[in-house]
Amino acid sequence: MAFRRRTKSYPLFSQEFVIHNHADIGFCLVLCVLIGLMFEVTAKTAFLFILPQYNVSVPTADSETVHYHYGPKDLVTISFYVFITIILHAVVQEYILDKISKRLHLSKVKHSKFNESGQLVIFHLSSVIWCFYVVVTEGYLTNPRSLWEDYPHVYLPFQVKFFYLCQLAYWLHTLPELYFQKVRKEEIPRQLQYICLYLAHIAGAYLLNLSRLGLILLLLQYSTEFLFHMARLFYFADENSVSRFSAWAAVFGVTRLFILTLAVLAIGFGLARMENQAFDPERGNFNTLLCRLCVLLLVCAAQAWLMWRFIHSQLRHWREYWNEQSAKRRVPAVPRLPARLIKREAGYHENGVVKAENGTSPRTKKLKSP
């Protein structure tokens, strides 16, 4: 891992060299972009990597405000923040998770899951705080009708667009991290499933101009995932600590219900009553019956799949628990064997003590004094 004192050197640009130095390589690339800000010739190109593009001045009642819309240049900005997240991933792994896992003495399977949950706990917590701040400051919680009113929401405030760019950068960086962290082959399909789900939902909300609805749904989803990974970390520290999973299970079902209700309310009823129901990609309008059905189908299918996996895992855990309890009841008590008796000529020995035939200890002969 990067930033670590190494005692073994690897050939330059070999596979092991890239794996053990990927964060240092990313840091060098980020440093080159930052150095480009110092020169007038390269400053414009450097700002393309760092700052969101496509800013537009929108007139208001008092003055003008700067808003943003999406475009192809966002891919350049996202790629820059992919390297930023790779560096932060290595810092968290090196200075926090590795030090904790050494004290816990986990197996290889638990160690891999511990690192996964440790990274996601930090990410989900920071995303929940950031998303909640954006939702409150923009007034989406106090005015739920703003989720579908004035659609399409082409022009985004700076903090909304920057939030979406960082979210896409984080989930894109998890793809090469599967290689850098040497994740086991058995774990790769499971992790690819939820990574692709997050990328599809976040990119869909961003490109279809459903950013307001997407913020609320991400806030609900990240809150639930934070509870799950926090409960798993406590379980790795103490295997008897399973009460937090019960709290997460209760929140999980309620969250699925809220997400489905909010999606149907905003897309199925709110957007369906809007006047501008025409397919116009140039203006960012995707408010047609086919688009609404596709979005609702994607959201409902994802929530149904998550709920099916949740029920399946809960039934499996309960089955394993009852099998363990029934196995403990069936085990009979082992009878204690009597002490082994060793016969001798004038008696026998029992536990190192000489016994006579009638069970009494023979008297010791008195020696006559000369």
Side-chain angles (χ1 to χ4, degrees):
M1 186 53 61
F3 309 108
R4 182 177 298 173
R5 293 182 179 179
R6 304 176 186 86
T7 58
K8 185 178 180 181
S9 60
Y10 300 97
L12 191 63
F13 297 117
S14 63
Q15 182 179 0
E16 292 296 328
F17 177 84
V18 174
I19 291 175
H20 287 80
N21 298 277
H22 67 275
D24 296 329
I25 297 172
F27 180 76
C28 292
L29 296 176
V30 171
L31 191 60
C32 292
V33 175
L34 296 178
I35 291 175
L37 296 174
M38 303 172 60
F39 304 97
E40 186 177 358
V41 179
T42 58
K44 188 175 180 180
T45 306
F47 278 119
L48 183 64
F49 287 88
I50 299 173
L51 295 177
Q53 304 299 310
Y54 305 104
N55 55 325
V56 178
S57 297
V58 179
T60 57
D62 300 331
S63 60
E64 292 183 353
T65 57
V66 179
H67 285 68
Y68 298 82
H69 61 91
Y70 63 82
K73 294 181 181 179
D74 290 341
L75 297 176
V76 180
T77 309
I78 291 173
S79 64
F80 174 77
Y81 285 99
V82 165
F83 289 106
I84 294 291
T85 50
I86 288 176
I87 296 170
L88 295 177
H89 186 111
V91 171
V92 172
Q93 184 69 39
E94 172 70 20
Y95 295 102
I96 299 177
L97 298 179
D98 285 349
K99 293 183 178 180
I100 298 176
S101 60
K102 287 180 181 179
R103 299 180 180 179
L104 297 178
H105 304 288
L106 302 174
S107 62
K108 290 184 178 180
V109 177
K110 290 185 178 181
H111 185 266
S112 177
K113 293 183 179 181
F114 176 83
N115 290 335
E116 177 192 0
S117 294
Q119 294 285 348
L120 290 176
V121 158
I122 297 175
F123 169 72
H124 287 316
L125 178 61
S126 58
S127 296
V128 165
I129 296 173
W130 189 3
C131 188
F132 183 76
Y133 173 79
V134 173
V135 167
V136 170
T137 54
E138 295 297 330
Y140 300 151
L141 283 181
T142 56
N143 185 18
R145 296 177 63 89
S146 63
L147 299 180
W148 60 84
E149 285 184 344
D150 301 329
Y151 181 85
H153 308 136
V154 178
Y155 300 111
L156 306 176
F158 172 81
Q159 58 181 355
V160 175
K161 177 167 183 175
F162 190 63
F163 176 81
Y164 272 96
L165 294 181
C166 292
Q167 292 295 314
L168 291 172
Y170 180 85
W171 290 112
L172 284 174
H173 110 279
T174 55
L175 295 175
E177 283 294 341
L178 296 177
Y179 170 73
F180 294 144
Q181 298 295 327
K182 296 182 179 180
V183 178
R184 297 185 305 117
K185 293 182 179 180
E186 296 81 5
E187 292 290 327
I188 291 179
R190 179 186 62 84
Q191 295 192 26
L192 281 177
Q193 287 175 356
Y194 70 77
I195 290 172
C196 293
L197 276 178
Y198 275 116
L199 285 174
H201 283 76
I202 296 173
Y206 183 64
L207 296 176
L208 296 177
N209 296 315
L210 295 171
S211 56
R212 300 179 182 180
L213 177 63
L215 285 173
I216 303 296
L217 298 185
L218 280 178
L219 180 61
L220 295 173
Q221 177 65 22
Y222 283 166
S223 301
T224 307
E225 290 298 305
F226 170 74
L227 293 177
F228 169 72
H229 290 289
M230 181 61 72
R232 195 155 75 162
L233 288 180
F234 277 104
Y235 173 76
F236 290 143
D238 182 12
E239 293 187 355
N240 296 323
S241 178
V242 295
S243 59
R244 293 174 179 83
F245 283 107
S246 302
W248 163 75
V251 175
F252 184 88
V254 176
T255 303
R256 304 280 78 76
L257 181 62
F258 270 104
I259 289 177
L260 287 175
T261 304
L262 193 58
V264 172
L265 177 64
I267 300 174
F269 292 96
L271 293 179
R273 297 179 180 180
M274 300 294 293
E275 297 179 357
N276 53 345
Q277 297 190 19
F279 184 75
D280 191 359
E282 294 182 358
R283 296 184 179 181
N285 189 2
F286 302 94
N287 188 14
T288 60
L289 178 61
L290 180 61
C291 291
R292 292 197 303 270
L293 287 178
C294 291
V295 172
L296 280 177
L297 182 62
L298 177 62
V299 174
C300 294
Q303 301 307 311
W305 180 73
L306 291 174
M307 199 66 193
W308 178 83
R309 286 191 58 190
F310 170 76
I311 295 174
H312 180 72
S313 63
Q314 290 297 110
L315 291 177
R316 179 168 53 84
H317 289 312
W318 288 341
R319 193 182 303 115
E320 291 176 355
Y321 173 76
W322 288 114
N323 288 338
E324 291 178 0
Q325 294 298 322
S326 59
K328 290 180 180 179
R329 295 173 183 174
R330 292 173 185 174
V331 174
V334 180
R336 296 184 63 182
L337 298 176
R340 188 176 179 182
L341 306 181
I342 304 174
K343 282 272 187 175
R344 295 298 173 91
E345 294 179 356
Y348 59 91
H349 287 73
E350 181 179 348
N351 295 331
V353 180
V354 180
K355 296 288 185 179
E357 292 294 340
N358 56 0
T360 60
S361 300
R363 294 183 179 180
T364 58
K365 295 182 180 181
K366 294 184 179 181
L367 299 177
K368 296 183 179 181
S369 57

